[in-house]
Amino acid sequence: SAVISQKPSRDICQRGTSLTIQCQVDSQVTMMFWYRQQPGQSLTLIATANQGSEATYESGFVIDKFPISRPNLTFSTLTVSNMSPEDSSIYLCSVGHPGANVLTFGAGSRLTVL
Amino acid sequence: LAKTTQPISMDSYEGQEVNITCSHNNIATNDYITWYQQFPSQGPRFIIQGYKTKVTNEVASLFIPADRKSSTLSLPRFSLSDTAVYYCLVGDSNDYKLSFGAGTTVTVRA
Protein backbone atom coordinates (compact mmCIF):
# COMPACT_ATOMS: atom_id res chain seq x y z
CA SER A 1 0.00 0.00 0.00
CA ALA A 2 1.00 3.64 -0.42
CA VAL A 3 3.24 5.37 2.09
CA ILE A 4 2.09 8.84 3.13
CA SER A 5 4.24 11.55 4.68
CA GLN A 6 2.64 14.54 6.33
CA LYS A 7 4.35 17.74 7.42
CA PRO A 8 4.32 19.22 9.97
CA SER A 9 3.58 16.40 12.39
CA ARG A 10 2.52 18.98 14.96
CA ASP A 11 2.50 22.72 15.41
CA ILE A 12 1.35 25.36 17.83
CA CYS A 13 -0.18 28.36 16.13
CA GLN A 14 -1.46 31.75 17.10
CA ARG A 15 -5.06 32.79 16.61
CA GLY A 16 -5.66 34.52 13.28
CA THR A 17 -2.75 32.93 11.47
CA SER A 18 -2.84 30.29 8.73
CA LEU A 19 -0.95 27.03 8.41
CA THR A 20 -0.37 24.81 5.41
CA ILE A 21 -0.10 21.04 5.83
CA GLN A 22 1.67 19.01 3.20
CA CYS A 23 0.87 15.45 2.14
CA GLN A 24 3.34 13.50 0.02
CA VAL A 25 2.58 10.01 -1.32
CA ASP A 26 5.24 7.62 -2.55
CA SER A 27 3.20 6.61 -5.60
CA GLN A 28 0.68 8.16 -7.94
CA VAL A 29 -2.83 7.99 -6.56
CA THR A 30 -6.12 9.09 -8.03
CA MET A 31 -8.09 9.58 -4.86
CA MET A 32 -6.81 11.76 -2.06
CA PHE A 33 -8.81 13.02 0.90
CA TRP A 34 -8.42 15.29 3.90
CA TYR A 35 -9.98 14.41 7.27
CA ARG A 36 -10.20 16.23 10.57
CA GLN A 37 -10.20 14.60 13.98
CA GLN A 38 -11.12 16.93 16.81
CA PRO A 39 -9.91 16.07 20.32
CA GLY A 40 -11.54 12.88 21.58
CA GLN A 41 -13.70 12.62 18.48
CA SER A 42 -13.93 10.45 15.40
CA LEU A 43 -12.82 11.43 11.91
CA THR A 44 -14.76 13.82 9.70
CA LEU A 45 -14.16 14.15 5.98
CA ILE A 46 -13.25 17.71 4.98
CA ALA A 47 -12.84 17.36 1.24
CA THR A 48 -11.70 15.33 -1.73
CA ALA A 49 -8.53 16.73 -3.29
CA ASN A 50 -8.95 16.61 -7.07
CA GLN A 51 -5.89 16.73 -9.28
CA GLY A 52 -6.09 19.64 -11.69
CA SER A 53 -9.37 21.02 -10.41
CA GLU A 54 -10.97 22.51 -7.33
CA ALA A 55 -11.43 20.30 -4.30
CA THR A 56 -14.87 18.92 -3.46
CA TYR A 57 -15.89 20.00 0.03
CA GLU A 58 -18.23 18.24 2.43
CA SER A 59 -21.07 19.98 4.17
CA GLY A 60 -19.79 22.36 6.81
CA PHE A 61 -16.42 22.96 5.17
CA VAL A 62 -15.65 25.80 2.74
CA ILE A 63 -12.79 26.66 0.46
CA ASP A 64 -12.09 30.01 2.07
CA LYS A 65 -11.38 28.34 5.40
CA PHE A 66 -9.69 25.18 4.10
CA PRO A 67 -8.10 25.85 0.70
CA ILE A 68 -6.66 22.70 -0.85
CA SER A 69 -4.16 22.27 -3.64
CA ARG A 70 -3.47 19.11 -5.66
CA PRO A 71 -0.84 19.96 -8.27
CA ASN A 72 -0.09 16.34 -9.19
CA LEU A 73 -0.94 12.73 -8.34
CA THR A 74 1.52 12.45 -5.45
CA PHE A 75 1.10 15.69 -3.52
CA SER A 76 -1.55 17.83 -1.85
CA THR A 77 -1.73 20.64 0.66
CA LEU A 78 -4.43 21.71 3.09
CA THR A 79 -4.37 25.21 4.54
CA VAL A 80 -6.22 26.05 7.72
CA SER A 81 -6.91 29.77 7.40
CA ASN A 82 -7.50 32.44 10.03
CA MET A 83 -7.23 29.88 12.79
CA SER A 84 -9.14 29.94 16.04
CA PRO A 85 -8.84 27.60 19.05
CA GLU A 86 -11.77 25.61 17.62
CA ASP A 87 -9.50 24.56 14.76
CA SER A 88 -7.25 22.67 17.16
CA SER A 89 -7.42 19.16 15.71
CA ILE A 90 -5.52 16.43 13.98
CA TYR A 91 -5.66 16.80 10.21
CA LEU A 92 -5.15 13.60 8.25
CA CYS A 93 -4.38 12.99 4.61
CA SER A 94 -5.56 9.72 3.09
CA VAL A 95 -5.51 7.97 -0.27
CA GLY A 96 -7.92 5.46 -1.77
CA HIS A 97 -7.18 2.15 -3.43
CA PRO A 98 -9.11 1.44 -6.66
CA GLY A 99 -11.57 -1.42 -6.51
CA ALA A 100 -11.94 -1.49 -2.74
CA ASN A 101 -13.22 1.15 -0.35
CA VAL A 102 -10.05 1.05 1.69
CA LEU A 103 -8.06 4.10 2.67
CA THR A 104 -4.46 4.48 3.75
CA PHE A 105 -3.92 7.34 6.18
CA GLY A 106 -0.96 9.50 7.01
CA ALA A 107 0.11 9.87 10.62
CA GLY A 108 -1.69 13.20 10.85
CA SER A 109 -0.76 16.77 11.69
CA ARG A 110 -1.69 17.85 15.19
CA LEU A 111 -2.53 21.56 15.34
CA THR A 112 -2.94 23.49 18.55
CA VAL A 113 -4.27 27.02 18.22
CA LEU A 114 -3.71 29.38 21.13
CA LEU B 1 -23.77 4.76 3.48
CA ALA B 2 -25.26 2.31 5.95
CA LYS B 3 -25.10 3.38 9.57
CA THR B 4 -23.14 1.27 12.00
CA THR B 5 -23.50 0.81 15.75
CA GLN B 6 -20.76 -0.54 17.98
CA PRO B 7 -19.98 -0.36 21.70
CA ILE B 8 -18.20 2.80 22.78
CA SER B 9 -15.70 0.95 24.94
CA MET B 10 -14.55 -2.49 26.02
CA ASP B 11 -12.09 -3.85 28.52
CA SER B 12 -9.90 -6.84 27.98
CA TYR B 13 -6.99 -8.59 29.67
CA GLU B 14 -3.66 -9.48 28.23
CA GLY B 15 -3.67 -12.73 26.34
CA GLN B 16 -7.45 -12.78 25.93
CA GLU B 17 -9.33 -12.85 22.67
CA VAL B 18 -11.29 -9.67 22.00
CA ASN B 19 -14.53 -9.74 20.03
CA ILE B 20 -16.17 -6.51 18.91
CA THR B 21 -19.61 -6.67 17.35
CA CYS B 22 -20.92 -4.05 14.95
CA SER B 23 -24.55 -3.71 13.88
CA HIS B 24 -25.39 -2.55 10.36
CA ASN B 25 -29.08 -3.31 9.86
CA ASN B 26 -29.39 -1.29 6.66
CA ILE B 27 -26.43 -2.81 4.84
CA ALA B 28 -26.92 -2.84 1.06
CA THR B 29 -26.31 -5.73 -1.31
CA ASN B 30 -23.10 -4.23 -2.69
CA ASP B 31 -21.70 -3.12 0.66
CA TYR B 32 -18.53 -4.50 2.20
CA ILE B 33 -17.68 -4.40 5.90
CA THR B 34 -14.33 -2.89 6.78
CA TRP B 35 -12.55 -2.47 10.10
CA TYR B 36 -9.84 0.03 10.98
CA GLN B 37 -7.60 0.35 14.02
CA GLN B 38 -6.31 3.65 15.34
CA PHE B 39 -3.54 3.87 17.90
CA PRO B 40 -3.03 7.12 19.82
CA SER B 41 -1.27 9.78 17.75
CA GLN B 42 -1.57 7.78 14.54
CA GLY B 43 -3.92 7.66 11.57
CA PRO B 44 -6.37 4.77 11.23
CA ARG B 45 -4.97 1.57 9.79
CA PHE B 46 -6.93 -0.96 7.72
CA ILE B 47 -7.33 -4.29 9.53
CA ILE B 48 -9.71 -6.45 7.55
CA GLN B 49 -12.55 -6.38 5.06
CA GLY B 50 -15.26 -8.90 4.26
CA TYR B 51 -18.53 -9.44 2.46
CA LYS B 52 -19.96 -12.61 3.99
CA THR B 53 -19.10 -15.66 6.14
CA LYS B 54 -15.60 -15.54 7.57
CA VAL B 55 -12.43 -13.75 6.60
CA THR B 56 -9.10 -14.25 8.33
CA ASN B 57 -5.73 -12.58 7.95
CA GLU B 58 -2.58 -12.36 10.04
CA VAL B 59 -4.11 -9.72 12.30
CA ALA B 60 -7.76 -10.63 12.82
CA SER B 61 -10.81 -12.61 11.83
CA LEU B 62 -14.10 -11.19 10.68
CA PHE B 63 -17.31 -13.14 11.16
CA ILE B 64 -20.35 -12.14 9.13
CA PRO B 65 -23.67 -14.01 9.55
CA ALA B 66 -25.84 -14.88 6.59
CA ASP B 67 -28.14 -11.86 6.97
CA ARG B 68 -25.07 -9.54 7.10
CA LYS B 69 -26.83 -7.23 9.54
CA SER B 70 -23.95 -7.47 11.95
CA SER B 71 -20.31 -8.48 12.01
CA THR B 72 -17.81 -9.44 14.69
CA LEU B 73 -14.14 -8.53 14.64
CA SER B 74 -12.07 -11.06 16.55
CA LEU B 75 -8.56 -10.20 17.70
CA PRO B 76 -6.65 -13.11 19.25
CA ARG B 77 -4.28 -12.83 22.18
CA PHE B 78 -4.72 -9.14 22.86
CA SER B 79 -1.73 -7.37 24.35
CA LEU B 80 -1.21 -4.02 26.06
CA SER B 81 0.12 -2.60 22.81
CA ASP B 82 -3.18 -3.40 21.08
CA THR B 83 -5.02 -0.73 23.06
CA ALA B 84 -6.65 1.35 20.32
CA VAL B 85 -9.91 2.56 18.85
CA TYR B 86 -11.55 0.12 16.42
CA TYR B 87 -13.87 1.43 13.73
CA CYS B 88 -16.47 -0.54 11.76
CA LEU B 89 -17.46 0.90 8.38
CA VAL B 90 -19.86 -0.25 5.69
CA GLY B 91 -19.88 0.78 2.04
CA ASP B 92 -19.57 -0.46 -1.51
CA SER B 93 -16.33 -0.59 -3.48
CA ASN B 94 -16.88 2.93 -4.80
CA ASP B 95 -17.44 4.49 -1.36
CA TYR B 96 -14.12 6.17 -0.73
CA LYS B 97 -15.69 8.94 1.30
CA LEU B 98 -15.65 6.90 4.47
CA SER B 99 -17.97 7.83 7.33
CA PHE B 100 -16.36 7.04 10.64
CA GLY B 101 -18.55 6.49 13.67
CA ALA B 102 -17.37 6.84 17.25
CA GLY B 103 -15.56 3.53 17.19
CA THR B 104 -14.87 1.14 20.07
CA THR B 105 -12.05 1.96 22.46
CA VAL B 106 -10.53 -1.28 23.67
CA THR B 107 -8.44 -0.95 26.77
CA VAL B 108 -6.21 -3.80 27.83
CA ARG B 109 -5.68 -4.27 31.53
CA ALA B 110 -2.57 -6.00 32.73
Side-chain angles (χ1 to χ4, degrees), chain B residues 60-77:
Chain B
S61 293
L62 180 59
F63 298 91
I64 306 168
D67 66 4
R68 304 200 326 122
K69 293 184 183 299
S70 66
S71 59
T72 299
L73 176 72
S74 180
L75 300 147
R77 297 180 297 282

Side-chain angles (χ1 to χ4, degrees), chain A residues 93-111:
Chain A
C93 170
S94 66
V95 300
H97 302 277
N101 60 339
V102 173
L103 294 183
T104 298
F105 286 84
S109 300
R110 181 184 293 271
L111 266 53

Side-chain angles (χ1 to χ4, degrees), chain A:
Chain A
S1 60
V3 176
I4 301 173
S5 301
Q6 275 188 242
K7 290 195 297 187
S9 58
R10 58 178 61 232
D11 206 340
I12 299 174
C13 308
Q14 296 299 316
R15 182 195 298 260
T17 63
S18 299
L19 182 78
T20 296
I21 302 165
Q22 298 181 3
C23 177
Q24 180 73 56
V25 189
D26 70 342
S27 59
Q28 292 188 341
V29 292
T30 306
M31 292 157 288
M32 189 177 284
F33 308 92
W34 287 97
Y35 282 81
R36 180 176 73 181
Q37 188 169 29
Q38 295 176 298
Q41 303 296 311
S42 187
L43 287 82
T44 301
L45 179 63
I46 297 172
T48 302
N50 301 309
Q51 195 267 329
S53 65
E54 195 172 281
T56 305
Y57 290 85
E58 297 301 306
S59 176
F61 298 96
V62 294
I63 188 171
D64 289 346
K65 177 67 175 176
F66 299 100
I68 289 171
S69 78
R70 178 90 191 270
N72 56 53
L73 293 177
T74 64
F75 186 78
S76 178
T77 66
L78 168 75
T79 299
V80 186
S81 303
N82 188 24
M83 286 185 285
S84 67
E86 292 71 34
D87 294 320
S88 297
S89 294
I90 301 172
Y91 293 86
L92 299 114
C93 170
S94 66
V95 300
H97 302 277
N101 60 339
V102 173
L103 294 183
T104 298
F105 286 84
S109 300
R110 181 184 293 271
L111 266 53
T112 301
V113 184
L114 303 178

Side-chain angles (χ1 to χ4, degrees), chain B residues 1 103-104:
Chain B
L1 295 174
T104 299

Side-chain angles (χ1 to χ4, degrees), chain A residues 35 37 42 97-99 101 103, chain B residues 36 38 49 91 95-96 98 100-101:
Chain A
Y35 282 81
Q37 188 169 29
S42 187
H97 302 277
N101 60 339
L103 294 183
Chain B
Y36 288 80
Q38 185 177 26
Q49 184 179 72
D95 284 338
Y96 294 97
L98 302 184
F100 283 79

Side-chain angles (χ1 to χ4, degrees), chain B residues 6 8 12-13 17 21 26 31-32 35 40 45-46 50-51 53 63-64 72 82-83 85 87 90 96 100 102 106:
Chain B
Q6 54 184 121
I8 293 295
S12 180
Y13 292 90
E17 178 181 80
T21 297
N26 297 321
D31 286 347
Y32 286 78
W35 286 80
R45 179 178 77 116
F46 168 82
Y51 183 80
T53 62
F63 298 91
I64 306 168
T72 299
D82 292 323
T83 294
V85 180
Y87 297 98
V90 171
Y96 294 97
F100 283 79
V106 181

